[in-house]
Amino acid sequence: MESWDVVVVGGGPAGAAAALAARRHGASVLVLDRSDFPRDKVCGDGIAPEALDVLAALGVDVDAVTAGYPAVPRLRLTSPSGRTVERAMHRPAVVVPRAVLDGRVLAAALDAGAQFRRHTVRRVTTGPAGVDVDGVLTAGVLIGADGAESVVRRALGIGPNRPDRLAIAIRGYAPAGDPGVQVITTTDQRWPAYAWSFPIGDGRANVGYGELVSGGATRAGLLEGLHRLLPGTAPEQLRAHRLPLSTGRPRQPDGRVLLAGDAVSLINPMTGEGIFYAVLSGALAGAAAAHGADAGRVFRTALQRRLGRHLQHTAAASRLSSRPWLMDAAFGAAAADQRVFDDVVALGLADGRLTARTLGSAVASLSRRAPRPRC
Ligand SMILES: Cc1cc2nc3c(=O)[nH]c(=O)nc-3n(C[C@H](O)[C@H](O)[C@H](O)COP(=O)(O)OP(=O)(O)OC[C@H]3O[C@@H](n4cnc5c(N)ncnc54)[C@H](O)[C@@H]3O)c2cc1C
C-alpha cells in the first residue's frame, strides 16, 4: 500500500500550513481534498495580520499571497445598543476572497514539496505502525484539517460542538461602501449576533450575518438579520456555513491523528475569526508530526503553550459578553482609548488577552452611564 510520512486531509489554511510545516521537517507530505483548487470557501475573507505572520514564518511570500488586495486600515464597531467606535487598527487587515487566498497558500505548500490529490476521505483507522486512509494509503501521522464537519474528528470519536458553541453565518458579495473600513455591527436581537462588511478593494465587499445555532437559526432568519443590520445591501453569491467556536479547551487525543483549524473548533467565539487559528494550529500540527506515535501529545502541549491562555480569555470574554450592556461598556471604553481598542482587536482577531485595562475601562464606562438594566 502507498505510504507517506504525513497525510493532511483538507487543503484549506490549516491543511496548507500543516503541509508547509511538515515539509520543513523533511517529511513526505500528501494533501488530500475533496475539491480541486482554487475553490471557494464560505467566509468573511478578513485576514488578520497575525495569520500572515504565521505563513511568513513558514517561508510563504505573503506579499504574493495578498497581491491585488489592498490593506484595510480602519475598523468600525457598533455595539448592541448602537454605540459606534471607528479607529485605525494597530496593524491593517487585508480582505482576500478565499477562492484566491486558499489556492495561493496551497500552491506555496506544493512549491515546498508537498503533493496534492483530489480525494474525499471517508474512513480513517489507526493501527500500531500508522494510520490507514480508506484502505488505499497509510500515513505515519494523519492531520485532520477538514473543516467544520470534519470526518477525521468523527473517526476519533469526538462529537460536534454543542449548539451554543456552534454558529452559522451567511455571506455574499455586494457593492462596497468606504474601501478603507471594515465594519462590524452587533445587535441585541438574537444576541450574540452580528453583521459585517469587509471591502475587498475591487469595489465590492464581503457582507454577511451570523448567530448561534442554539437560537434556532434559519436561512430566512439569517437573511433578515443581514438586511436589518446592513440596510440597502443586495448581495450575490449568498451561501451559509457553520462555525465551530472555541470552547477554550481543544480536544486533541494522544496518538498519530492530529486535528487542526475548524476540525478542532478553534474559531474565536467573540468574532468568528478562524483563519489565524487555522494556520497557527496547522503549523504546530505539521511540526509535531515528526514525533510519530507521540505526535498527539506533543501537538496538544504545543497548542496549549502557544494559545492556551488566549483561549481561556476568549472563553471568559464570551461568557461576559452574554450581557449586551457589558459589550456596550467595552465598546465605550474602546471609543475612549486607542489602547483599549487595540486590546479588544487583539483578543478578537489574534492571540490577545482580556486585559486589566479593558476590564477597568469598561467598568469605568459603565459607571459613567445611566443605571444598568436589570437582568
Ligand atoms: C460565513 C463565515 C464567515 C467567516 N469569516 C471569517 C473571517 O472574515 N475571517 C476569518 O479569519 N475567519 C472567518 N471565518 C472562519 C474561517 O472561514 C474558518 O475558520 C477557516 O476556513 C478554517 O480553515 P480550515 O483550514 O480549518 O478549514 P476549511 O477552510 O473549511 O478547509 C477544509 C478543507 O477540507 C476539505 N474537506 C472537508 N472534508 C473532506 C473530506 N472528507 N475529504 C477530503 N477533504 C475534505 C474541504 O474541501 C476544505 O478544502 C468565517 C466562517 C464563516 C462560515
Side-chain angles (χ1 to χ4, degrees):
M1 199 187 307
E2 198 181 336
S3 168
W4 296 80
D5 294 333
V6 178
V7 169
V8 181
V9 186
L20 280 157
R23 281 299 301 147
R24 285 170 85 82
H25 284 75
S28 62
V29 179
L30 177 66
V31 179
L32 302 173
D33 201 293
R34 64 185 174 200
S35 303
D36 276 325
F37 280 68
R39 58 97 181 91
D40 190 16
K41 152 76 175 78
V42 177
C43 187
D45 302 335
I47 324 287
E50 290 80 0
L52 300 177
D53 294 345
V54 175
L55 292 173
L58 292 170
V60 176
D61 177 353
V62 294
D63 291 334
V65 162
T66 59
Y69 297 93
V72 185
R74 298 183 72 78
L75 175 63
R76 185 185 310 146
L77 300 169
T78 301
S79 76
S81 73
R83 186 175 194 166
T84 292
V85 49
E86 181 184 320
R87 284 186 175 275
M89 287 181 276
H90 179 56
R91 294 171 65 195
V94 62
V95 185
V96 184
R98 296 289 298 276
V100 175
L101 178 90
D102 291 22
R104 288 178 175 179
V105 180
L106 183 62
L110 303 189
D111 284 348
Q115 302 282 309
F116 176 83
R117 194 173 299 162
R118 185 172 179 183
H119 176 90
T120 301
V121 172
R122 301 186 196 285
R123 196 165 39 83
V124 169
T125 321
T126 308
V131 185
D132 178 290
V133 183
D134 290 335
V136 292
L137 296 167
T138 58
V141 167
L142 182 124
I143 300 175
D146 49 342
E149 315 297 335
S150 173
V151 166
V152 178
R153 182 189 64 220
R154 254 180 282 149
L156 286 172
I158 301 172
N161 281 15
R162 286 183 350 211
D164 63 345
R165 296 285 85 197
L166 195 59
I168 184 162
I170 194 161
R171 75 92 174 98
Y173 293 93
D178 186 337
V181 185
Q182 287 197 337
V183 174
I184 294 179
T185 304
T186 62
T187 169
D188 58 3
Q189 282 185 50
R190 305 177 69 77
W191 177 260
Y194 78 83
W196 69 86
S197 175
F198 294 166
I200 299 170
D202 62 359
R204 296 178 305 154
N206 179 313
V207 297
Y209 167 87
E211 59 184 50
L212 289 177
V213 165
S214 54
T218 61
R219 185 177 171 87
L222 295 176
L223 287 173
E224 187 277 323
L226 175 64
H227 291 300
R228 175 164 39 84
L229 294 179
L230 299 175
T233 40
E236 295 174 346
Q237 301 173 52
L238 281 165
R239 284 174 64 199
H241 197 79
R242 299 211 281 187
L243 297 90
L245 306 177
S246 166
T247 59
R249 290 178 185 278
R251 291 179 286 176
Q252 170 60 56
D254 287 351
R256 295 179 180 275
V257 180
L258 315 183
L259 296 172
D262 283 9
V264 71
S265 300
L266 283 180
I267 292 182
N268 191 307
M270 305 295 295
T271 58
E273 207 266 7
I275 297 170
F276 165 66
Y277 308 100
V279 292
L280 179 58
S281 60
L284 296 174
H291 293 266
D294 199 23
R297 185 192 63 78
V298 171
F299 172 51
R300 188 174 60 243
T301 306
L303 200 55
Q304 169 63 24
R305 198 170 289 145
R306 180 65 182 80
L307 269 185
R309 189 64 71 85
H310 165 75
L311 296 178
Q312 284 169 7
H313 281 228
T314 48
S318 172
R319 281 193 296 275
L320 286 173
S321 74
S322 63
R323 296 161 182 83
W325 49 268
L326 260 178
M327 286 294 281
D328 275 320
F331 281 42
D337 185 338
Q338 177 76 41
R339 294 168 307 166
V340 173
F341 183 85
D342 292 340
D343 288 349
V344 168
V345 170
L347 181 69
L349 300 186
D351 53 0
R353 311 273 164 90
L354 187 55
T355 59
R357 181 164 53 208
T358 300
L359 285 170
S361 306
V363 169
S365 170
L366 258 183
S367 58
R368 282 195 300 270
R369 284 169 69 82
R372 235 170 42 205
R374 294 171 55 185
C375 61

